[in-house]
Coordinates of all heavy atoms in Angstrom, one line a residue:
M1 N 18.1 -22.1 2.4 CA 19.3 -23.0 2.8 C 18.8 -23.7 4.1 O 19.1 -24.9 4.2 CB 20.5 -22.2 3.0 CG 21.7 -22.9 3.4 SD 23.2 -21.9 3.3 CE 24.0 -22.4 4.8
A2 N 18.3 -23.0 5.1 CA 17.9 -23.6 6.4 C 16.9 -24.6 6.1 O 16.9 -25.7 6.8 CB 17.5 -22.5 7.3
L3 N 15.9 -24.3 5.3 CA 14.9 -25.3 5.0 C 15.4 -26.6 4.4 O 14.9 -27.7 4.7 CB 13.8 -24.7 4.1 CG 12.9 -23.5 4.6 CD1 12.1 -22.9 3.6 CD2 12.2 -23.9 5.9
E4 N 16.4 -26.5 3.6 CA 17.1 -27.6 3.0 C 17.7 -28.6 3.9 O 17.8 -29.8 3.7 CB 18.1 -27.1 1.9 CG 17.4 -26.4 0.8 CD 18.5 -25.8 -0.1 OE1 19.7 -25.9 0.1 OE2 18.1 -25.2 -1.1
V5 N 18.1 -28.1 5.1 CA 18.7 -28.9 6.1 C 17.7 -29.3 7.3 O 18.2 -29.8 8.3 CB 20.0 -28.4 6.6 CG1 21.1 -28.2 5.6 CG2 19.8 -26.9 7.3
G6 N 16.5 -29.0 7.1 CA 15.5 -29.4 8.0 C 14.9 -28.4 9.0 O 14.1 -28.7 9.9
A7 N 15.1 -27.1 8.8 CA 14.6 -26.1 9.6 C 13.1 -26.0 9.4 O 12.6 -26.3 8.2 CB 15.2 -24.8 9.4
S8 N 12.3 -25.7 10.4 CA 10.9 -25.5 10.3 C 10.6 -24.1 10.0 O 11.4 -23.2 10.2 CB 10.2 -25.9 11.6 OG 10.4 -27.3 11.8
T9 N 9.3 -23.8 9.5 CA 8.9 -22.4 9.3 C 7.8 -22.1 10.3 O 7.2 -22.9 10.9 CB 8.3 -22.3 7.9 OG1 7.2 -23.2 7.8 CG2 9.3 -22.6 6.8
A10 N 7.7 -20.8 10.5 CA 6.6 -20.3 11.4 C 6.1 -19.0 10.9 O 6.8 -18.3 10.1 CB 7.2 -20.1 12.8
G11 N 4.9 -18.7 11.2 CA 4.3 -17.4 10.7 C 3.4 -17.5 9.6 O 3.0 -18.6 9.2
S12 N 2.9 -16.4 9.1 CA 1.9 -16.3 7.9 C 2.6 -15.9 6.7 O 3.4 -14.9 6.6 CB 0.9 -15.3 8.3 OG 0.0 -15.1 7.1
F13 N 2.5 -16.7 5.6 CA 3.2 -16.4 4.4 C 2.2 -16.0 3.3 O 2.5 -16.0 2.2 CB 3.9 -17.7 3.9 CG 5.1 -18.1 4.8 CD1 4.8 -19.0 5.8 CD2 6.3 -17.5 4.7 CE1 5.9 -19.3 6.6 CE2 7.3 -17.8 5.5 CZ 7.2 -18.7 6.5
D14 N 1.0 -15.6 3.7 CA 0.0 -15.2 2.7 C -0.2 -13.7 2.7 O -1.2 -13.3 2.0 CB -1.4 -15.9 3.0 CG -1.9 -15.6 4.3 OD1 -1.2 -14.9 5.2 OD2 -3.1 -15.9 4.6
G15 N 0.6 -12.9 3.2 CA 0.6 -11.5 3.3 C 1.9 -10.8 3.4 O 2.9 -11.5 3.3
M16 N 1.9 -9.5 3.6 CA 3.1 -8.8 3.8 C 2.9 -7.5 4.5 O 1.8 -7.1 4.5 CB 3.8 -8.6 2.4 CG 3.1 -7.6 1.5 SD 4.0 -7.4 0.0 CE 2.6 -7.4 -1.1
H17 N 3.9 -6.9 5.0 CA 3.9 -5.6 5.6 C 4.3 -4.6 4.6 O 5.4 -4.8 4.0 CB 4.7 -5.5 6.8 CG 4.8 -4.1 7.4 ND1 3.7 -3.6 8.1 CD2 5.7 -3.1 7.3 CE1 4.0 -2.4 8.5 NE2 5.2 -2.1 8.0
C18 N 3.5 -3.6 4.2 CA 4.0 -2.7 3.2 C 3.4 -1.3 3.6 O 2.5 -1.2 4.3 CB 3.5 -3.1 1.9 SG 1.9 -3.8 1.8
E19 N 4.0 -0.3 3.1 CA 3.6 1.1 3.4 C 3.6 2.0 2.1 O 4.4 1.7 1.2 CB 4.5 1.7 4.4 CG 4.5 1.0 5.7 CD 5.6 1.5 6.6 OE1 6.7 2.0 6.2 OE2 5.4 1.4 7.8
L20 N 2.7 3.0 2.1 CA 2.9 4.0 1.0 C 4.0 4.9 1.3 O 4.2 5.3 2.4 CB 1.5 4.8 1.0 CG 0.2 4.1 0.6 CD1 -1.0 5.0 0.9 CD2 0.3 3.7 -0.9
V21 N 4.8 5.1 0.3 CA 5.9 6.1 0.4 C 6.0 7.1 -0.6 O 5.4 6.9 -1.7 CB 7.3 5.3 0.5 CG1 7.4 4.3 1.6 CG2 7.6 4.6 -0.8
D22 N 6.6 8.2 -0.3 CA 6.7 9.3 -1.2 C 8.0 9.1 -2.0 O 9.1 9.2 -1.4 CB 6.8 10.6 -0.5 CG 6.9 11.8 -1.3 OD1 7.1 11.7 -2.6 OD2 6.8 13.0 -0.9
T23 N 8.0 8.8 -3.3 CA 9.1 8.5 -4.1 C 10.0 9.7 -4.3 O 11.2 9.6 -4.7 CB 8.8 7.8 -5.4 OG1 7.9 8.8 -6.1 CG2 8.0 6.5 -5.1
L24 N 9.5 10.9 -4.0 CA 10.3 12.1 -4.2 C 11.0 12.6 -2.9 O 11.8 13.5 -2.9 CB 9.5 13.2 -4.7 CG 8.7 13.0 -6.0 CD1 7.8 14.2 -6.4 CD2 9.7 12.7 -7.1
A25 N 10.7 11.9 -1.8 CA 11.3 12.3 -0.5 C 12.8 12.0 -0.5 O 13.3 11.1 -1.1 CB 10.5 11.5 0.6
T26 N 13.5 12.8 0.3 CA 14.9 12.5 0.4 C 15.3 11.9 1.8 O 16.4 11.5 2.0 CB 15.7 13.9 0.4 OG1 15.1 14.8 1.4 CG2 15.5 14.6 -1.0
K27 N 14.3 11.9 2.7 CA 14.5 11.2 4.0 C 14.3 9.6 3.8 O 13.5 9.2 3.0 CB 13.6 11.7 5.0 CG 13.8 13.2 5.3 CD 12.7 13.6 6.4 CE 12.9 15.1 6.6 NZ 11.9 15.5 7.6
P28 N 15.0 8.9 4.6 CA 14.8 7.4 4.5 C 13.4 6.9 4.9 O 13.0 5.9 4.4 CB 15.9 6.9 5.4 CG 16.4 7.9 6.3 CD 16.0 9.2 5.5
D29 N 12.8 7.6 5.8 CA 11.5 7.2 6.3 C 10.4 8.1 5.5 O 10.0 9.2 6.1 CB 11.3 7.3 7.8 CG 9.9 6.9 8.2 OD1 9.2 6.2 7.6 OD2 9.6 7.2 9.4
A30 N 10.0 7.7 4.4 CA 9.2 8.5 3.5 C 7.7 8.1 3.5 O 7.0 8.2 2.5 CB 9.8 8.6 2.1
V31 N 7.3 7.5 4.6 CA 5.9 7.0 4.7 C 4.9 8.1 4.5 O 5.0 9.2 5.1 CB 5.7 6.2 6.0 CG1 4.2 5.7 6.1 CG2 6.7 5.1 6.1
T32 N 3.8 7.8 3.8 CA 2.7 8.8 3.5 C 1.5 8.3 4.3 O 1.0 7.3 4.2 CB 2.4 8.8 2.0 OG1 3.5 9.1 1.2 CG2 1.3 9.8 1.8
W33 N 1.0 9.3 5.2 CA -0.1 9.0 6.0 C -1.3 9.9 5.7 O -2.2 10.0 6.6 CB 0.2 9.2 7.5 CG 1.1 8.0 8.0 CD1 2.5 8.0 8.0 CD2 0.7 6.8 8.5 NE1 2.9 6.8 8.5 CE2 1.8 6.0 8.8 CE3 -0.6 6.2 8.7 CZ2 1.7 4.8 9.3 CZ3 -0.6 4.9 9.2 CH2 0.5 4.2 9.5
G34 N -1.3 10.5 4.7 CA -2.4 11.6 4.4 C -3.5 11.1 3.6 O -4.4 11.8 3.2
H35 N -3.6 9.8 3.2 CA -4.5 9.4 2.2 C -6.0 9.4 2.7 O -6.9 9.4 1.9 CB -4.2 7.9 1.7 CG -4.4 6.9 2.8 ND1 -3.5 6.6 3.7 CD2 -5.5 6.1 3.1 CE1 -4.1 5.7 4.5 NE2 -5.2 5.3 4.2
N36 N -6.2 9.5 4.0 CA -7.5 9.6 4.5 C -8.1 11.0 4.3 O -9.3 11.2 4.6 CB -7.6 9.2 6.0 CG -6.7 10.0 6.9 OD1 -5.6 10.5 6.4 ND2 -7.1 10.3 8.0
Y37 N -7.4 11.9 3.8 CA -8.0 13.2 3.5 C -8.0 13.5 2.0 O -8.1 14.6 1.5 CB -7.1 14.3 4.1 CG -7.0 14.2 5.6 CD1 -5.8 13.7 6.2 CD2 -8.1 14.4 6.4 CE1 -5.7 13.6 7.6 CE2 -8.1 14.2 7.8 CZ -6.9 13.8 8.4 OH -6.8 13.6 9.7
G38 N -8.0 12.4 1.2 CA -8.1 12.6 -0.2 C -8.4 11.3 -0.9 O -8.9 10.4 -0.2
I39 N -8.1 11.2 -2.2 CA -8.3 9.9 -2.9 C -7.1 9.5 -3.5 O -6.2 10.3 -3.8 CB -9.4 10.0 -4.0 CG1 -9.0 11.0 -5.1 CG2 -10.8 10.4 -3.5 CD1 -9.8 10.9 -6.3
V40 N -6.9 8.2 -3.7 CA -5.7 7.6 -4.3 C -6.0 7.2 -5.6 O -7.0 6.4 -5.8 CB -5.1 6.5 -3.4 CG1 -3.8 6.0 -4.0 CG2 -4.8 7.0 -2.0
V41 N -5.2 7.5 -6.6 CA -5.5 7.1 -8.0 C -4.3 6.3 -8.5 O -3.1 6.6 -8.0 CB -5.8 8.3 -8.9 CG1 -7.1 8.9 -8.5 CG2 -4.7 9.3 -9.0
N42 N -4.4 5.5 -9.5 CA -3.3 4.8 -10.0 C -2.6 5.7 -11.0 O -3.0 6.8 -11.2 CB -3.7 3.5 -10.6 CG -4.7 3.5 -11.8 OD1 -4.8 4.6 -12.4 ND2 -5.4 2.5 -12.1
E43 N -1.5 5.2 -11.7 CA -0.8 6.0 -12.6 C -1.5 6.4 -13.8 O -1.1 7.3 -14.6 CB 0.6 5.3 -13.0 CG 0.4 4.0 -13.7 CD 1.8 3.3 -13.9 OE1 2.8 4.0 -14.0 OE2 1.8 2.1 -14.1
R44 N -2.7 5.8 -14.1 CA -3.6 6.2 -15.2 C -4.6 7.2 -14.8 O -5.6 7.4 -15.4 CB -4.2 5.0 -15.8 CG -3.2 4.1 -16.5 CD -3.8 2.9 -17.2 NE -4.7 2.2 -16.4 CZ -4.4 1.2 -15.5 NH1 -3.2 0.9 -15.3 NH2 -5.3 0.5 -14.8
C45 N -4.4 7.7 -13.5 CA -5.4 8.7 -12.9 C -6.8 8.1 -12.7 O -7.7 8.9 -12.7 CB -5.5 10.0 -13.7 SG -3.8 10.8 -13.7
K46 N -6.8 6.9 -12.4 CA -8.2 6.2 -12.1 C -8.3 5.8 -10.7 O -7.3 5.1 -10.1 CB -8.4 5.0 -13.0 CG -8.5 5.3 -14.4 CD -9.0 4.2 -15.2 CE -9.0 4.7 -16.7 NZ -10.2 4.3 -17.4
R47 N -9.3 6.2 -10.0 CA -9.6 5.8 -8.6 C -9.9 4.4 -8.6 O -10.6 3.9 -9.3 CB -10.7 6.6 -8.0 CG -10.9 6.4 -6.6 CD -12.0 7.3 -6.1 NE -12.2 7.1 -4.6 CZ -13.3 7.4 -4.0 NH1 -14.3 8.0 -4.7 NH2 -13.4 7.2 -2.7
F48 N -9.3 3.6 -7.7 CA -9.4 2.1 -7.7 C -9.9 1.6 -6.3 O -10.0 0.3 -6.2 CB -8.1 1.5 -8.1 CG -6.9 1.8 -7.1 CD1 -6.7 1.0 -6.1 CD2 -6.2 2.9 -7.4 CE1 -5.7 1.4 -5.2 CE2 -5.1 3.3 -6.6 CZ -4.9 2.5 -5.5
Y49 N -10.0 2.4 -5.4 CA -10.4 1.9 -4.1 C -11.2 2.9 -3.3 O -11.0 4.1 -3.4 CB -9.2 1.5 -3.2 CG -9.5 0.6 -2.1 CD1 -9.5 -0.8 -2.3 CD2 -9.7 1.1 -0.8 CE1 -9.8 -1.6 -1.3 CE2 -10.1 0.2 0.2 CZ -10.1 -1.2 0.0 OH -10.4 -2.1 1.0
D50 N -12.2 2.5 -2.5 CA -13.0 3.4 -1.7 C -12.3 3.6 -0.4 O -12.2 2.8 0.5 CB -14.4 2.7 -1.4 CG -15.2 3.6 -0.6 OD1 -14.9 4.7 -0.2 OD2 -16.4 3.1 -0.2
E51 N -11.7 4.8 -0.3 CA -10.9 5.2 0.9 C -11.7 5.2 2.2 O -11.1 5.2 3.3 CB -10.2 6.5 0.7 CG -9.2 6.6 -0.5 CD -9.9 6.8 -1.8 OE1 -11.2 7.0 -1.8 OE2 -9.2 6.9 -2.9
G52 N -13.0 5.3 2.2 CA -13.8 5.4 3.3 C -14.4 4.1 3.7 O -15.2 4.0 4.6
K53 N -14.1 3.0 3.1 CA -14.7 1.7 3.2 C -14.5 1.1 4.6 O -15.4 0.5 5.1 CB -14.2 0.8 2.2 CG -14.9 -0.6 2.1 CD -14.2 -1.3 0.9 CE -15.0 -2.6 0.7 NZ -14.5 -3.3 -0.5
R54 N -13.3 1.3 5.2 CA -13.0 0.8 6.5 C -12.2 1.7 7.3 O -12.0 2.9 6.8 CB -12.2 -0.6 6.3 CG -13.1 -1.6 5.6 CD -12.3 -2.9 5.3 NE -11.9 -3.6 6.5 CZ -11.0 -4.5 6.5 NH1 -10.4 -4.9 5.4 NH2 -10.7 -5.1 7.6
H55 N -11.7 1.3 8.5 CA -10.9 2.3 9.3 C -9.6 2.5 8.6 O -9.1 1.8 7.8 CB -10.8 1.8 10.8 CG -10.0 0.5 11.0 ND1 -8.7 0.4 11.0 CD2 -10.5 -0.8 11.0 CE1 -8.3 -0.8 11.1 NE2 -9.3 -1.6 11.1
L56 N -8.9 3.6 9.1 CA -7.7 4.2 8.5 C -6.7 3.1 8.3 O -6.1 2.9 7.1 CB -7.1 5.3 9.3 CG -5.8 5.8 8.9 CD1 -5.9 6.4 7.5 CD2 -5.2 6.8 9.9
F57 N -6.3 2.3 9.3 CA -5.1 1.4 9.1 C -5.5 0.2 8.2 O -4.6 -0.3 7.4 CB -4.6 0.9 10.4 CG -4.1 2.1 11.3 CD1 -4.8 2.6 12.4 CD2 -2.9 2.7 10.9 CE1 -4.3 3.7 13.1 CE2 -2.4 3.8 11.7 CZ -3.1 4.2 12.7
A58 N -6.7 -0.2 8.2 CA -7.1 -1.3 7.3 C -7.1 -0.8 5.8 O -6.6 -1.5 4.9 CB -8.5 -1.8 7.6
I59 N -7.6 0.4 5.6 CA -7.6 1.0 4.2 C -6.2 1.2 3.7 O -5.9 0.9 2.6 CB -8.3 2.3 4.3 CG1 -9.8 2.1 4.5 CG2 -8.2 3.1 3.0 CD1 -10.5 1.2 3.6
F60 N -5.3 1.7 4.6 CA -3.9 1.9 4.3 C -3.2 0.6 3.7 O -2.6 0.7 2.7 CB -3.2 2.3 5.6 CG -1.7 2.7 5.5 CD1 -1.3 3.9 4.9 CD2 -0.8 1.8 5.8 CE1 0.0 4.2 4.7 CE2 0.6 2.1 5.7 CZ 1.0 3.3 5.1
K61 N -3.5 -0.5 4.4 CA -2.9 -1.8 4.0 C -3.5 -2.2 2.7 O -2.9 -2.7 1.8 CB -3.1 -2.8 5.0 CG -2.3 -2.6 6.3 CD -0.9 -2.7 6.1 CE -0.2 -2.5 7.4 NZ 1.2 -2.3 7.4
M62 N -4.9 -2.1 2.5 CA -5.5 -2.5 1.4 C -5.1 -1.7 0.1 O -5.0 -2.3 -1.0 CB -7.1 -2.5 1.5 CG -7.6 -3.4 2.6 SD -7.0 -5.1 2.6 CE -7.7 -5.6 1.0
I63 N -5.0 -0.4 0.3 CA -4.5 0.4 -0.9 C -3.1 0.0 -1.3 O -2.8 -0.2 -2.5 CB -4.5 1.9 -0.5 CG1 -6.0 2.4 -0.4 CG2 -3.7 2.8 -1.5 CD1 -6.1 3.8 0.2
V64 N -2.2 -0.2 -0.4 CA -0.9 -0.6 -0.7 C -0.8 -1.9 -1.4 O -0.1 -2.1 -2.4 CB 0.1 -0.6 0.6 CG1 1.4 -1.1 0.2 CG2 0.1 0.7 1.2
L65 N -1.5 -2.9 -0.9 CA -1.6 -4.2 -1.5 C -2.2 -4.1 -2.9 O -1.7 -4.8 -3.8 CB -2.4 -5.2 -0.6 CG -1.7 -5.7 0.6 CD1 -2.7 -6.5 1.5 CD2 -0.5 -6.5 0.3
E66 N -3.2 -3.4 -3.1 CA -3.9 -3.2 -4.4 C -2.9 -2.6 -5.4 O -2.8 -3.0 -6.5 CB -5.1 -2.4 -4.3 CG -5.9 -2.2 -5.6 CD -6.6 -3.5 -6.0 OE1 -6.9 -4.3 -5.1 OE2 -7.0 -3.5 -7.1
L67 N -2.1 -1.5 -4.9 CA -1.1 -0.9 -5.8 C -0.1 -1.8 -6.2 O 0.4 -1.9 -7.3 CB -0.6 0.3 -5.1 CG -1.4 1.6 -5.1 CD1 -0.8 2.7 -4.2 CD2 -1.6 2.2 -6.5
W68 N 0.4 -2.7 -5.2 CA 1.5 -3.6 -5.5 C 1.0 -4.7 -6.4 O 1.6 -5.1 -7.3 CB 1.9 -4.3 -4.2 CG 2.8 -5.4 -4.3 CD1 4.2 -5.2 -4.5 CD2 2.6 -6.8 -4.2 NE1 4.7 -6.5 -4.7 CE2 3.8 -7.4 -4.5 CE3 1.4 -7.5 -4.0 CZ2 3.9 -8.8 -4.4 CZ3 1.5 -8.9 -4.0 CH2 2.7 -9.5 -4.2
R69 N -0.2 -5.2 -6.2 CA -0.8 -6.3 -7.0 C -1.2 -5.9 -8.5 O -0.9 -6.6 -9.4 CB -2.0 -6.9 -6.3 CG -2.5 -8.1 -6.9 CD -3.8 -8.7 -6.1 NE -3.5 -8.9 -4.7 CZ -4.1 -8.3 -3.7 NH1 -5.2 -7.5 -3.9 NH2 -3.8 -8.6 -2.4
D70 N -1.9 -4.9 -8.6 CA -2.6 -4.5 -9.9 C -2.3 -3.2 -10.5 O -2.8 -2.9 -11.6 CB -4.1 -4.7 -9.7 CG -4.5 -6.1 -9.3 OD1 -3.9 -7.1 -9.8 OD2 -5.4 -6.2 -8.5
H71 N -1.5 -2.3 -9.9 CA -1.3 -1.0 -10.5 C 0.1 -0.6 -10.6 O 0.5 0.6 -10.4 CB -2.1 0.0 -9.6 CG -3.5 -0.3 -9.6 ND1 -4.4 0.1 -10.6 CD2 -4.3 -0.9 -8.7 CE1 -5.6 -0.3 -10.3 NE2 -5.6 -0.9 -9.2
N72 N 1.0 -1.5 -10.9 CA 2.4 -1.2 -11.2 C 3.2 -0.6 -10.0 O 4.1 0.2 -10.2 CB 2.5 -0.4 -12.5 CG 4.0 -0.5 -13.1 OD1 4.7 -1.4 -12.9 ND2 4.3 0.7 -13.8
Q73 N 2.6 -0.8 -8.9 CA 3.2 -0.2 -7.6 C 3.3 1.3 -7.6 O 4.1 1.9 -6.9 CB 4.6 -0.8 -7.4 CG 4.6 -2.3 -7.2 CD 5.9 -2.9 -7.0 OE1 6.8 -2.2 -6.4 NE2 6.2 -4.1 -7.4
K74 N 2.4 2.0 -8.3 CA 2.4 3.4 -8.4 C 1.0 4.0 -8.2 O 0.0 3.5 -8.8 CB 2.9 3.9 -9.7 CG 4.3 3.5 -10.0 CD 4.8 4.0 -11.3 CE 6.2 3.5 -11.6 NZ 6.6 3.8 -13.0
G75 N 0.9 5.0 -7.4 CA -0.3 5.7 -7.2 C 0.0 7.1 -6.8 O 1.1 7.5 -6.5
V76 N -1.1 7.9 -6.9 CA -0.9 9.4 -6.5 C -2.1 9.7 -5.5 O -3.2 9.4 -5.7 CB -1.0 10.3 -7.8 CG1 -1.0 11.7 -7.4 CG2 0.1 9.9 -8.8
L77 N -1.7 10.5 -4.5 CA -2.7 11.0 -3.6 C -3.2 12.3 -4.0 O -2.4 13.3 -4.2 CB -2.1 11.1 -2.2 CG -3.0 11.8 -1.1 CD1 -4.2 10.9 -0.8 CD2 -2.2 12.0 0.2
H78 N -4.5 12.5 -4.2 CA -5.1 13.8 -4.6 C -5.9 14.3 -3.4 O -6.8 13.7 -2.9 CB -6.0 13.7 -5.8 CG -5.3 13.5 -7.1 ND1 -4.7 14.5 -7.8 CD2 -5.0 12.3 -7.8 CE1 -4.1 14.0 -8.8 NE2 -4.2 12.7 -8.8
H79 N -5.6 15.5 -3.0 CA -6.3 16.2 -1.8 C -7.5 17.0 -2.4 O -7.4 17.6 -3.4 CB -5.4 17.0 -1.0 CG -4.3 16.2 -0.3 ND1 -4.5 15.6 0.9 CD2 -3.1 16.0 -0.7 CE1 -3.4 15.0 1.2 NE2 -2.5 15.2 0.3

């Protein structure tokens, strides 16, 4: 609506902020930070990313984006 009346945009629109969450958690902040101690597999139990490829926070974002983009937004952490 604002764009329709002449408002400008700012920022980056080619990415997003996302986090791995535990879908079984009962707390509102169910962020999962343990993936650096195991492997993450998709819902077909296939490993799809090298968890040691980069530093923790870069890997965290890349795993989430990959799950969102190509794996039905579902993955499992195996320790």
Side-chain angles (χ1 to χ4, degrees):
M1 184 171 138
L3 294 175
E4 293 172 2
V5 295
S8 296
T9 61
S12 173
F13 294 94
D14 61 349
M16 67 180 142
H17 174 77
C18 40
E19 298 173 332
L20 293 169
V21 295
D22 182 351
T23 58
L24 300 176
T26 58
K27 295 180 181 180
D29 184 15
V31 175
T32 303
W33 285 94
H35 71 277
N36 56 328
Y37 301 111
I39 64 167
V40 180
V41 297
N42 63 20
E43 64 184 333
R44 294 182 310 276
C45 295
K46 295 193 181 225
R47 186 176 180 202
F48 59 90
Y49 199 84
D50 179 1
E51 298 84 359
K53 189 174 185 178
R54 298 173 66 193
H55 65 84
L56 173 63
F57 296 108
I59 295 301
F60 183 78
K61 297 289 185 195
M62 297 311 296
I63 288 172
V64 175
L65 288 171
E66 183 75 18
L67 284 170
W68 174 78
R69 185 181 304 123
D70 297 323
H71 298 280
N72 200 28
Q73 300 182 28
K74 295 178 184 174
V76 177
L77 173 64
H78 287 280
H79 295 277

